[in-house]
PDB file of all heavy atoms in Angstrom:
ATOM      1  N   GLN A 490      86.159 129.746 108.910  1.00 98.00           N
ATOM      2  CA  GLN A 490      85.093 130.392 109.779  1.00 98.00           C
ATOM      3  C   GLN A 490      85.510 130.271 111.185  1.00 98.00           C
ATOM      4  O   GLN A 490      85.237 131.360 111.940  1.00 98.00           O
ATOM      5  CB  GLN A 490      83.840 129.507 109.603  1.00 98.00           C
ATOM      6  CG  GLN A 490      82.733 130.085 110.436  1.00 98.00           C
ATOM      7  CD  GLN A 490      82.341 131.533 109.949  1.00 98.00           C
ATOM      8  OE1 GLN A 490      82.138 131.763 108.755  1.00 98.00           O
ATOM      9  NE2 GLN A 490      82.176 132.391 110.921  1.00 98.00           N
ATOM     10  N   THR A 491      86.277 129.329 111.660  1.00 97.00           N
ATOM     11  CA  THR A 491      86.696 129.398 113.033  1.00 97.00           C
ATOM     12  C   THR A 491      87.747 130.473 113.287  1.00 97.00           C
ATOM     13  O   THR A 491      87.800 130.981 114.405  1.00 97.00           O
ATOM     14  CB  THR A 491      87.216 127.972 113.454  1.00 97.00           C
ATOM     15  OG1 THR A 491      87.165 127.870 114.955  1.00 97.00           O
ATOM     16  CG2 THR A 491      88.625 127.704 113.076  1.00 97.00           C
ATOM     17  N   ILE A 492      88.545 130.805 112.302  1.00 98.00           N
ATOM     18  CA  ILE A 492      89.367 132.035 112.374  1.00 98.00           C
ATOM     19  C   ILE A 492      88.581 133.279 112.571  1.00 98.00           C
ATOM     20  O   ILE A 492      88.822 134.057 113.443  1.00 98.00           O
ATOM     21  CB  ILE A 492      90.317 132.149 111.156  1.00 98.00           C
ATOM     22  CG1 ILE A 492      91.256 130.888 111.090  1.00 98.00           C
ATOM     23  CG2 ILE A 492      91.116 133.421 111.230  1.00 98.00           C
ATOM     24  CD1 ILE A 492      92.140 130.917 109.833  1.00 98.00           C
ATOM     25  N   GLU A 493      87.519 133.404 111.664  1.00 98.00           N
ATOM     26  CA  GLU A 493      86.671 134.596 111.833  1.00 98.00           C
ATOM     27  C   GLU A 493      85.968 134.620 113.150  1.00 98.00           C
ATOM     28  O   GLU A 493      85.801 135.698 113.757  1.00 98.00           O
ATOM     29  CB  GLU A 493      85.595 134.468 110.667  1.00 98.00           C
ATOM     30  CG  GLU A 493      84.810 135.750 110.551  1.00 98.00           C
ATOM     31  CD  GLU A 493      83.947 135.733 109.297  1.00 98.00           C
ATOM     32  OE1 GLU A 493      84.194 134.921 108.345  1.00 98.00           O
ATOM     33  OE2 GLU A 493      83.062 136.633 109.219  1.00 98.00           O
ATOM     34  N   ASP A 494      85.530 133.406 113.665  1.00 98.00           N
ATOM     35  CA  ASP A 494      84.865 133.406 115.056  1.00 98.00           C
ATOM     36  C   ASP A 494      85.880 133.850 116.089  1.00 98.00           C
ATOM     37  O   ASP A 494      85.522 134.530 116.984  1.00 98.00           O
ATOM     38  CB  ASP A 494      84.409 132.039 115.284  1.00 98.00           C
ATOM     39  CG  ASP A 494      83.122 131.705 114.483  1.00 98.00           C
ATOM     40  OD1 ASP A 494      82.468 132.592 113.967  1.00 98.00           O
ATOM     41  OD2 ASP A 494      82.837 130.528 114.303  1.00 98.00           O
ATOM     42  N   ALA A 495      87.159 133.311 116.063  1.00 98.00           N
ATOM     43  CA  ALA A 495      88.105 133.643 117.092  1.00 98.00           C
ATOM     44  C   ALA A 495      88.458 135.088 117.103  1.00 98.00           C
ATOM     45  O   ALA A 495      88.592 135.716 118.174  1.00 98.00           O
ATOM     46  CB  ALA A 495      89.347 132.788 116.794  1.00 98.00           C
ATOM     47  N   ILE A 496      88.471 135.704 115.934  1.00 98.00           N
ATOM     48  CA  ILE A 496      88.765 137.208 115.895  1.00 98.00           C
ATOM     49  C   ILE A 496      87.579 137.916 116.477  1.00 98.00           C
ATOM     50  O   ILE A 496      87.741 138.843 117.269  1.00 98.00           O
ATOM     51  CB  ILE A 496      89.016 137.614 114.464  1.00 98.00           C
ATOM     52  CG1 ILE A 496      90.313 137.095 113.965  1.00 98.00           C
ATOM     53  CG2 ILE A 496      88.971 139.144 114.336  1.00 98.00           C
ATOM     54  CD1 ILE A 496      90.571 137.302 112.512  1.00 98.00           C
ATOM     55  N   GLY A 497      86.370 137.442 116.168  1.00 97.00           N
ATOM     56  CA  GLY A 497      85.173 138.045 116.717  1.00 97.00           C
ATOM     57  C   GLY A 497      85.089 137.918 118.229  1.00 97.00           C
ATOM     58  O   GLY A 497      84.486 138.741 118.964  1.00 97.00           O
ATOM     59  N   LEU A 498      85.667 136.879 118.797  1.00 97.00           N
ATOM     60  CA  LEU A 498      85.753 136.661 120.283  1.00 97.00           C
ATOM     61  C   LEU A 498      86.915 137.322 120.887  1.00 97.00           C
ATOM     62  O   LEU A 498      87.116 137.171 122.081  1.00 97.00           O
ATOM     63  CB  LEU A 498      85.782 135.120 120.507  1.00 97.00           C
ATOM     64  CG  LEU A 498      84.553 134.288 120.229  1.00 97.00           C
ATOM     65  CD1 LEU A 498      84.917 132.794 120.212  1.00 97.00           C
ATOM     66  CD2 LEU A 498      83.487 134.586 121.180  1.00 97.00           C
ATOM     67  N   LYS A 499      87.685 138.076 120.027  1.00 97.00           N
ATOM     68  CA  LYS A 499      88.847 138.937 120.586  1.00 97.00           C
ATOM     69  C   LYS A 499      89.838 137.929 121.197  1.00 97.00           C
ATOM     70  O   LYS A 499      90.514 138.315 122.137  1.00 97.00           O
ATOM     71  CB  LYS A 499      88.343 139.944 121.609  1.00 97.00           C
ATOM     72  CG  LYS A 499      87.486 140.982 120.992  1.00 97.00           C
ATOM     73  CD  LYS A 499      87.128 142.070 122.060  1.00 97.00           C
ATOM     74  CE  LYS A 499      86.397 143.245 121.379  1.00 97.00           C
ATOM     75  NZ  LYS A 499      85.145 142.829 120.655  1.00 97.00           N
ATOM     76  N   ALA A 500      90.049 136.763 120.569  1.00 98.00           N
ATOM     77  CA  ALA A 500      91.030 135.800 121.033  1.00 98.00           C
ATOM     78  C   ALA A 500      92.396 136.276 120.547  1.00 98.00           C
ATOM     79  O   ALA A 500      92.549 136.866 119.469  1.00 98.00           O
ATOM     80  CB  ALA A 500      90.689 134.446 120.529  1.00 98.00           C
ATOM     81  N   ARG A 501      93.499 135.944 121.308  1.00 97.00           N
ATOM     82  CA  ARG A 501      94.847 136.210 120.849  1.00 97.00           C
ATOM     83  C   ARG A 501      95.451 135.000 120.204  1.00 97.00           C
ATOM     84  O   ARG A 501      96.584 135.233 119.605  1.00 97.00           O
ATOM     85  CB  ARG A 501      95.616 136.696 122.106  1.00 97.00           C
ATOM     86  CG  ARG A 501      95.129 137.962 122.748  1.00 97.00           C
ATOM     87  CD  ARG A 501      95.549 139.180 122.054  1.00 97.00           C
ATOM     88  NE  ARG A 501      95.115 139.363 120.677  1.00 97.00           N
ATOM     89  CZ  ARG A 501      93.864 139.826 120.407  1.00 97.00           C
ATOM     90  NH1 ARG A 501      93.097 140.207 121.289  1.00 97.00           N
ATOM     91  NH2 ARG A 501      93.552 139.914 119.034  1.00 97.00           N
ATOM     92  N   TRP A 502      94.964 133.924 120.306  1.00 98.00           N
ATOM     93  CA  TRP A 502      95.419 132.713 119.669  1.00 98.00           C
ATOM     94  C   TRP A 502      94.243 131.794 119.354  1.00 98.00           C
ATOM     95  O   TRP A 502      93.123 131.847 119.940  1.00 98.00           O
ATOM     96  CB  TRP A 502      96.461 131.976 120.447  1.00 98.00           C
ATOM     97  CG  TRP A 502      96.091 131.724 121.834  1.00 98.00           C
ATOM     98  CD1 TRP A 502      96.419 132.524 122.923  1.00 98.00           C
ATOM     99  CD2 TRP A 502      95.341 130.630 122.397  1.00 98.00           C
ATOM    100  NE1 TRP A 502      95.948 131.953 124.078  1.00 98.00           N
ATOM    101  CE2 TRP A 502      95.230 130.825 123.736  1.00 98.00           C
ATOM    102  CE3 TRP A 502      94.723 129.576 121.871  1.00 98.00           C
ATOM    103  CZ2 TRP A 502      94.517 129.910 124.615  1.00 98.00           C
ATOM    104  CZ3 TRP A 502      94.024 128.588 122.602  1.00 98.00           C
ATOM    105  CH2 TRP A 502      93.938 128.836 124.026  1.00 98.00           C
ATOM    106  N   LEU A 503      94.408 130.942 118.333  1.00 98.00           N
ATOM    107  CA  LEU A 503      93.437 129.914 118.048  1.00 98.00           C
ATOM    108  C   LEU A 503      94.122 128.516 117.924  1.00 98.00           C
ATOM    109  O   LEU A 503      94.999 128.337 117.073  1.00 98.00           O
ATOM    110  CB  LEU A 503      92.786 130.317 116.699  1.00 98.00           C
ATOM    111  CG  LEU A 503      91.806 129.235 116.041  1.00 98.00           C
ATOM    112  CD1 LEU A 503      90.632 129.026 116.935  1.00 98.00           C
ATOM    113  CD2 LEU A 503      91.379 129.639 114.677  1.00 98.00           C
ATOM    114  N   SER A 504      93.611 127.610 118.725  1.00 97.00           N
ATOM    115  CA  SER A 504      94.096 126.254 118.665  1.00 97.00           C
ATOM    116  C   SER A 504      93.234 125.491 117.725  1.00 97.00           C
ATOM    117  O   SER A 504      92.032 125.399 117.868  1.00 97.00           O
ATOM    118  CB  SER A 504      94.072 125.573 120.097  1.00 97.00           C
ATOM    119  OG  SER A 504      94.313 124.245 119.999  1.00 97.00           O
ATOM    120  N   LEU A 505      93.939 124.880 116.709  1.00 96.00           N
ATOM    121  CA  LEU A 505      93.182 124.083 115.631  1.00 96.00           C
ATOM    122  C   LEU A 505      93.351 122.595 115.718  1.00 96.00           C
ATOM    123  O   LEU A 505      92.902 121.906 114.855  1.00 96.00           O
ATOM    124  CB  LEU A 505      93.625 124.686 114.209  1.00 96.00           C
ATOM    125  CG  LEU A 505      93.219 126.121 113.910  1.00 96.00           C
ATOM    126  CD1 LEU A 505      93.919 126.587 112.683  1.00 96.00           C
ATOM    127  CD2 LEU A 505      91.739 126.173 113.698  1.00 96.00           C
TER     128      LEU A 505
END
Side-chain angles (χ1 to χ4, degrees):
Q490 184 58 49
T491 201
I492 297 174
E493 188 168 347
D494 287 340
I496 293 172
L498 290 167
K499 296 181 172 55
R501 298 279 63 84
W502 50 264
L503 171 64
S504 171
L505 291 169

